[in-house]
Amino acid sequence: MIVRGCFVSVDNKTSQEIQEFIIRNVGSHPTDIGRLTAEKFGLSRVAIVNRLGALIKVSLLVAEGKTKARRYALKVLNSHQKELQIVPGLTEDQVWLRDVKPHLLGLPSNVLDICAHGVTEMVNNVIDHSESTTAAISVSRDAATIIITIRDYGVGIFHKIQQALNLSDPQHAILELAKGKLTTDAAKHTGEGIFFTSRMFDECSIASGTLLFIRLRRTDDWLFESEEAPKDGTEVVMKIATNASHTAKEIFDIYRAEFDQFGFSKTNIPLVLLKYEGEQLISRSQAKRLMARIDEFREVILDFKGITSIGQAFADEVFRIYRREHPVVNIYPVNMAPDVNGMIQRSLSGNPDDPLNEYLRGDMEKHKVT
Ligand SMILES: Nc1ncnc2c1ncn2[C@@H]1O[C@H](COP(=O)(O)OP(=O)(O)OP(=O)(O)O)[C@@H](O)[C@H]1O
Ligand SMILES: [Mg+2]
């Protein structure tokens, strides 16, 4: 009896693993999910056909086309859209409790918390900043992913920030948003909403005018694109896996500087957002744009992912001049290519006692190919 029970539980476990594998991979493998699953678990063709059939029967999957042209997809389990009138008295909590939460029943509490955070922050932004009289919120869910979209028809986020900060290009607003603590209404806001929301969701995109800004959590990528057709107002799309394991608190804690009692005083700035297509990071003016408002933080991670080289004036401005003028701001470069590291070391060469020298040599050592 005991032995049989043991086998049954192993089978159940494997069976759940197979189901989970199909759910998590069918999106990127609509036509070859059967082959992929069969290879991974050593299943026969018949077994895999039966298994996919069973998932269709319980309404988790849908399929179309015959034999070789057969495509599978996750079935949309719930899709709901609501128009919002932005009238005095409307609050973000009402929208969350009335229009979104009821469509997210049964999710793990960490995922629900992140959704609550994203919805309340983004709806608050519509109410307080968009100047729109209407908005739309939609929630769509399949077995793998929750997608929440919030759209308004107001002044547009990038345009608003460009005007308020007097930026020469709306694209510069994206870098400022990624830095955090950016608000156009300091009397009532602190500029944390987009900073944390964009880091909590697996994918968060903001589209407005001709700009589209996307943050991907898993690969830690920050992308921006120019769209041909301009979008009036602002559209924020937030996606999270139904089995995400991180919590909102973990994300908040990352941006608490060491010994910090006041929370948000650390930031992580992706330098790719400073770079226009084909442009190199070489000038002092680019460095100044990067470091604008940075004195509001105590700890600043400069993420060089995707940057292969930097110019001497740029490195000098950030790592020698800025640091000398702002000794309380601790600046750490990360994900440096060897040329980037070398140029930063060069900017410090006049000051061999600077502790950053040791950090840079250590980083170089770490990435050495042996
Ligand atoms: N839907 C929107 N339409 C127009 N501008 C927006 C919109 N959402 C955000 N913004 C602009 O982006 C800025 C940053 O938004 P974010 O939510 O990060 O901070 P905040 O709302 O100012 O402060 P907090 O979220 O901490 O209350 C806002 O101050 C506002 O200028
Ligand atoms: Mg906000």
Side-chain angles (χ1 to χ4, degrees):
M1 280 292 280
I2 294 164
V3 172
R4 248 184 96 195
C6 191
F7 276 126
V8 168
S9 90
V10 168
D11 281 347
N12 275 343
K13 186 169 165 274
T14 314
S15 171
Q16 271 177 12
E17 272 173 19
I18 296 169
Q19 176 170 324
E20 196 59 25
F21 181 85
I22 294 170
I23 287 171
R24 299 292 152 200
N25 291 286
V26 66
S28 45
H29 294 274
T31 52
D32 62 346
I33 185 67
R35 184 187 55 75
L36 200 72
T37 314
E39 274 170 21
K40 164 117 182 132
F41 293 93
L43 298 174
S44 68
R45 222 182 86 79
V46 175
I48 199 68
V49 167
N50 287 343
R51 206 161 273 273
L52 291 169
L55 289 177
I56 291 170
K57 216 165 168 187
V58 296
S59 294
L60 285 181
L61 273 190
V62 286
E64 60 176 36
K66 292 248 173 293
T67 55
K68 279 203 170 143
R70 197 153 169 84
R71 291 176 67 85
Y72 293 89
L74 288 170
K75 188 171 159 78
V76 175
L77 302 173
N78 192 342
S79 176
H80 172 82
Q81 168 142 14
K82 174 86 193 277
E83 292 289 320
L84 301 172
Q85 300 302 316
I86 314 297
V87 289
L90 177 76
T91 68
E92 56 274 16
D93 297 29
Q94 282 169 3
V95 175
W96 164 248
L97 292 172
R98 187 188 62 196
D99 301 320
V100 182
K101 196 178 176 200
H103 304 285
L104 298 177
L105 297 177
L107 282 177
S109 61
N110 63 317
V111 178
L112 202 62
D113 276 357
I114 289 173
C115 291
H117 181 89
V119 168
T120 51
E121 289 293 342
M122 294 308 110
V123 171
N124 175 267
N125 280 355
V126 173
I127 296 171
D128 281 8
H129 306 302
S130 76
E131 299 169 40
S132 184
T133 53
T134 57
I137 185 158
S138 76
V139 188
S140 163
R141 176 180 178 175
D142 60 32
T145 317
I146 312 287
I147 304 177
I148 302 171
T149 305
I150 296 168
R151 170 92 161 97
D152 69 58
Y153 305 91
V155 292
I157 181 167
F158 305 129
H159 177 72
K160 180 157 195 150
I161 295 169
Q162 181 190 11
Q163 299 276 304
L165 273 68
N166 203 10
L167 305 172
S168 60
D169 192 305
Q171 190 168 328
H172 297 173
I174 296 180
L175 175 71
E176 294 305 316
L177 280 172
K179 288 179 188 171
K181 290 200 187 188
L182 169 69
T183 184
T184 53
D185 184 5
K188 301 202 206 102
H189 293 271
T190 48
E192 298 189 4
I194 289 170
F195 183 90
F196 285 108
T197 301
S198 63
R199 284 157 171 90
M200 277 179 199
F201 282 82
D202 291 334
E203 192 177 321
C204 180
S205 69
I206 304 179
S208 179
T210 53
L211 290 178
L212 172 65
F213 161 50
I214 307 170
R215 152 82 178 158
L216 301 172
R217 201 179 68 82
R218 272 162 221 261
T219 50
D220 201 13
D221 278 320
W222 301 79
L223 317 166
F224 58 83
E225 284 167 22
S226 292
E227 306 272 65
E228 297 256 305
K231 181 167 263 144
D232 59 334
T234 303
E235 182 177 74
V236 179
V237 181
M238 302 174 286
K239 298 185 189 175
I240 188 159
T242 51
N243 69 343
S245 57
H246 61 287
T247 64
K249 183 175 179 304
E250 280 164 4
I251 306 295
F252 286 124
D253 285 348
I254 293 174
Y255 296 98
R256 197 179 287 274
E258 228 179 319
F259 310 120
D260 184 14
Q261 294 166 8
F262 306 106
F264 186 31
S265 60
K266 177 174 170 183
T267 188
N268 179 322
I269 310 176
L271 270 82
V272 280
L273 294 181
L274 188 65
K275 234 176 79 134
Y276 284 93
E277 220 168 302
E279 200 186 347
Q280 298 300 313
L281 299 184
I282 46 174
S283 69
R284 291 197 188 272
S285 62
Q286 288 168 318
K288 285 181 183 154
R289 190 146 67 76
L290 173 67
M291 303 315 273
R293 298 192 309 107
I294 286 311
D295 54 346
E296 295 176 36
F297 297 91
R298 296 251 306 273
E299 211 173 306
V300 178
I301 314 284
L302 295 181
D303 188 349
F304 284 86
K305 184 176 179 199
I307 309 284
T308 48
S309 68
I310 56 173
Q312 186 249 323
F314 180 88
D316 184 62
E317 188 69 35
V318 173
F319 291 97
R320 190 177 65 86
I321 297 184
Y322 186 91
R323 286 174 60 248
R324 192 185 59 202
E325 288 172 359
H326 302 85
V328 294
V329 185
N330 294 302
I331 295 171
Y332 300 105
V334 297
N335 295 324
M336 288 166 285
D339 285 357
V340 172
N341 186 315
M343 193 54 90
I344 300 173
Q345 289 200 34
R346 203 179 132 185
S347 74
L348 303 179
S349 57
N351 186 3
D353 298 334
D354 189 325
L356 199 55
N357 282 307
E358 202 181 321
Y359 170 88
L360 290 166
R361 281 195 296 269
D363 184 86
M364 200 72 128
E365 204 55 41
K366 213 165 59 198
H367 295 109
K368 213 173 189 169
V369 184
T370 45

